[in-house]
Amino acid sequence: MAEALLPAGDIPRTLRLRGFGVPPTAVAAVTRHLGPKERIARGGRAFGLALLAALIMLPIPIIHIIGPPLAIIIGIVLGFRRLGEGEIFVSAEGSCPFCHQQQYLGLAQSRYRVPRNITCNSCRQPLELEATSAPS
């Protein structure tokens, strides 16, 4: 039923949140596969924002020497990194295995890769997000 409400291209996944010395808990995550157009758009936005920052820094004394070239280099690097993101998190929600606080994990729009180290927003314990052995 919940899968019917997802937009086309979104993939529901069940992941596991593991902490040292406690049993793991389940995480409901939704990921999205990005096509070539979406990847290029995301990379172009990153480069465009860096270019805008470089243009804003041009009239500022002293900063105009280092700021614009640095912003353009950072924009190129971030643009190419975004081109390589084939799948991203749309959302991830689960409960901490230590404090059992239900929470969003703050992974929206980040690259889908597991295992991933995260921290509980409530008790600040280190956690590891990992894939379950069975496909969801």
Side-chain angles (χ1 to χ4, degrees):
M1 180 92 174
E3 292 180 17
L5 300 176
L6 293 175
D10 285 3
I11 306 161
R13 296 184 184 271
T14 302
L15 304 174
R16 191 169 46 198
L17 200 54
R18 193 167 53 88
F20 184 74
V22 293
T25 58
V27 171
V30 177
T31 61
R32 178 176 296 146
H33 177 72
L34 299 176
K37 281 182 166 180
E38 294 160 320
R39 288 176 169 190
I40 291 171
R42 284 170 54 90
R45 274 193 302 270
F47 179 71
L49 286 173
L51 193 59
L52 180 65
L55 289 173
I56 290 171
M57 285 187 262
L58 276 178
I60 302 172
I62 300 179
I63 292 176
H64 77 277
I65 297 169
I66 299 295
L70 190 61
I72 290 173
I73 290 170
I74 289 171
I76 290 170
V77 169
L78 289 178
F80 276 113
R81 284 190 64 181
R82 286 202 160 188
L83 282 175
E85 293 177 352
E87 193 170 356
I88 61 171
F89 279 102
V90 175
S91 67
E93 183 179 1
S95 61
C96 172
F98 290 103
C99 66
H100 304 289
Q101 178 72 34
Q102 187 73 15
Q103 58 192 297
Y104 289 103
L105 300 179
L107 299 173
Q109 301 299 315
S110 66
R111 179 188 296 231
Y112 173 73
R113 73 179 154 76
V114 287
R116 173 179 270 194
N117 294 324
I118 60 173
T119 303
C120 174
N121 296 329
S122 180
C123 67
R124 310 304 298 166
Q125 289 287 333
L127 304 169
E128 185 175 11
L129 183 67
E130 58 187 21
T132 56
S133 56
S136 57

